Amino acid sequence: MIDRRQALALGAAAMAAPASARTSRDPFLWGAATAGHQVEGNNVNADIWLLEQVKPTLFAEPSGDACDSLHRWDQDVAIVKALGLNAYRFSVEWSRIEPAEGQFSQAYLDHYARIVDRCRASGLAPVVTFSHFTTPRWFAAHGGWEAPDAPTLFARYCDRVARAMAPGISHALTFNEPNLSINGPWSRFRPNAKSNAATQAMLAAAARQSGSDRFSLLNAGDSTPMIPGVLRAHRLGRAAIKAVRGDLPVGMSLAISDDVSVGGDAMLAAKRRAYYEPFFEAGRDDDFLGVQTYERTYIGPSGPVDTPASTPRCADGKPYEPEAIGGSIRYTHKATGKPILVTENGIDTTDDAERARFISAAIAAVEAARRDGIPVLGYIHWSLLDNFEWLSGYKPRYGLVAVDRTTFKRTVKPSAHVLGGIAQAGGTR
Ligand code: FCB
């Protein structure tokens, strides 16, 4: 089965935080996260929707109605509030806001602005992602992030979103994990010839269906050629948001593994140069950095090596490493000097007691980093809901809340109350 770190992927010096950066004097954010395509349902104008439909496809199943959060977002916000959290991270879907190039939907801008307003009215800080993996179908068929005008198209979209809702947003993230699918010898999941061919066949089918000779998106194959466009898009997107509201904290979220060198210092340095540092540089003027950690990676002289046998295991055999978030926070802060917002951290498990233990242990690792003086702005758990986990479909269970696939009824799991209890107490002790 495809691991979540493959998501779609098949195929610094210390910098001072700018004066506008929020500091640890602001209330610590305790939150839960979702992303539009994974929960809303019927996101029919998105690139990934099309990839789910074409033949051949690599998706285990289509996203379909997802959690129907497009219509039930008010229940989701109410659950976050009832749990005692004070932040909700969600994403706005570019393909709803700009379903055809240059045609902006005021109705959908209003829709997302209502979510922001409801969060505020409920005392929740809305942490808003502008691009969480998906782009509009027309954008992918136009060449995606490889197209020369991609950064300006993204900045125009950011401007529209900011003008519609920036006053209410707490923290804005331009991109979610744009580094996830940069491949190199240090990658844990390297595509092989067979998976590359399967990805290319899926993309070719989507291109044909779009009447184009291309269909390009992040995380379908090796993203390396797209990175210059993404980095420029981040800069222009941030500038567009800041032009609307200069004091809105803006950053991006990166996939950060807790990398541990086991005789592989040179390989680890090579990973950092390719996988993290270009983003740190593009984020030099950002207000904070979003850190998303799900694992630890042991790096030997020629690449990742097996997790030590002594590592505790989950019931399904995967390494159980809740402390990994502590390592990635320490690394990213040291490398950037930025305040860190944990924008995702979680565990795929059907054993909710395991999730509850994970949450307490992960937060304890965050608290240890804070005690050592690292400015951490908040801890946002992935995910609020069991949802559509990209290639893997609905099988993974990251949610604090179960969702019935037919009635869409939400059932809060005990682990959600563990997180809410910690939030209410202001920490694990
Ligand atoms: C991250 C993604 C998020 C979710 C989790 C499990 O890579 O940002 O959408 O799929 O993994």
Side-chain angles (χ1 to χ4, degrees):
M1 191 57 187
I2 285 148
D3 188 280
R4 77 121 228 146
R5 298 309 298 169
Q6 273 177 304
L8 293 172
L10 290 151
M15 300 166 217
S20 63
R22 295 290 165 101
T23 68
S24 38
R25 286 190 301 279
D26 292 309
F28 191 80
L29 298 181
W30 297 101
T34 59
H37 190 75
Q38 295 178 269
V39 298
E40 289 178 349
N42 299 296
N43 193 22
V44 297
N45 291 314
D47 48 9
I48 291 180
W49 175 274
L50 179 56
L51 295 183
E52 295 160 18
Q53 307 295 325
V54 294
K55 289 195 176 43
T57 182
L58 290 163
F59 284 80
E61 55 187 320
S63 52
D65 285 328
C67 304
D68 194 30
S69 290
L70 185 65
H71 304 109
R72 293 165 202 261
W73 60 268
D74 51 342
Q75 290 179 35
D76 299 339
V77 172
I79 290 170
V80 177
K81 173 69 185 163
L83 288 174
L85 303 175
N86 66 1
Y88 179 44
R89 176 184 176 216
F90 64 95
S91 75
V92 291
E93 272 297 321
W94 186 358
S95 69
R96 292 194 197 275
I97 290 170
E98 191 180 0
E101 185 175 349
Q103 292 180 28
F104 290 88
S105 164
Q106 189 58 47
Y108 272 117
L109 287 166
D110 292 348
H111 165 81
Y112 290 114
R114 276 196 294 274
I115 303 180
V116 169
D117 290 348
R118 181 70 60 84
C119 286
R120 284 295 183 191
S122 313
L124 301 175
V127 176
V128 178
T129 317
F130 284 50
S131 179
H132 195 121
F133 290 162
T134 43
T135 63
R137 282 161 71 153
W138 62 262
F139 182 81
H142 176 72
W145 301 108
E146 295 173 88
D149 57 349
T152 50
L153 290 168
F154 180 66
R156 181 175 65 172
Y157 154 72
C158 289
D159 165 68
R160 291 297 180 113
V161 174
R163 280 196 276 139
M165 62 201 84
I169 295 177
S170 156
H171 293 74
L173 298 157
T174 54
F175 283 95
N176 178 76
E177 297 189 347
N179 62 330
L180 180 61
S181 303
I182 300 173
N183 289 321
W186 28 261
S187 298
R188 278 165 46 114
F189 307 104
R190 247 171 303 158
N192 53 34
K194 195 167 159 222
S195 64
N196 275 334
T199 303
Q200 290 314 319
M202 177 175 70
L203 294 174
R208 271 195 307 280
Q209 198 149 326
S210 308
S212 176
D213 61 351
R214 63 200 68 187
F215 202 80
S216 171
L217 64 158
L218 273 171
N219 300 324
D222 182 359
S223 299
T224 306
M226 301 161 204
I227 297 309
V230 167
L231 296 176
R232 189 164 154 70
H234 171 72
R235 290 192 178 96
L236 296 188
R238 178 188 57 217
I241 298 167
K242 290 281 192 184
V244 175
R245 190 186 141 199
D247 70 342
L248 171 56
V250 181
M252 72 179 125
S253 282
L254 296 177
I256 314 258
S257 170
D258 181 18
D259 298 313
V260 178
S261 166
V262 282
D265 288 5
M267 186 57 79
L268 175 55
K271 174 176 184 178
R272 290 180 166 167
R273 269 197 306 279
Y275 199 73
Y276 303 122
E277 289 168 13
F279 297 89
F280 295 162
E281 178 57 33
R284 177 181 276 273
D285 295 328
D286 290 4
D287 300 291
F288 68 96
L289 178 67
V291 168
Q292 313 202 153
T293 302
Y294 288 87
E295 73 272 304
R296 191 166 271 155
T297 305
Y298 293 88
I299 300 190
S302 35
V305 296
D306 287 347
T307 301
S310 57
T311 304
R313 301 275 157 175
C314 301
D316 65 2
K318 284 196 298 274
Y320 174 78
E321 297 166 316
E323 310 79 16
I325 186 68
S328 53
I329 288 174
R330 289 167 197 274
Y331 160 64
T332 45
H333 178 67
K334 190 166 178 215
T336 65
K338 299 286 178 196
I340 303 299
L341 176 59
V342 178
T343 42
E344 284 185 25
N345 176 244
I347 182 170
D348 168 16
T349 180
T350 50
D351 176 358
D352 191 57
E354 187 167 66
R355 183 182 343 275
R357 284 194 298 277
F358 178 95
I359 287 171
S360 303
I363 292 173
V366 173
E367 290 171 335
R370 292 182 79 192
R371 278 197 300 274
D372 288 345
I374 298 180
V376 184
L377 307 176
Y379 174 87
I380 302 180
H381 193 76
W382 183 271
S383 177
L384 179 65
L385 306 176
D386 283 338
N387 63 26
F388 179 73
E389 282 293 345
W390 312 112
L391 287 180
S392 309
Y394 289 97
K395 190 153 177 275
R397 294 283 188 275
Y398 283 94
L400 298 164
V401 176
V403 180
D404 185 287
R405 300 277 322 113
T406 310
T407 63
F408 308 112
K409 183 174 182 309
R410 276 89 166 121
T411 306
V412 174
K413 303 179 192 177
S415 60
H417 294 297
V418 170
L419 178 60
I422 293 172
Q424 286 291 296
T428 56
R429 66 193 86 205

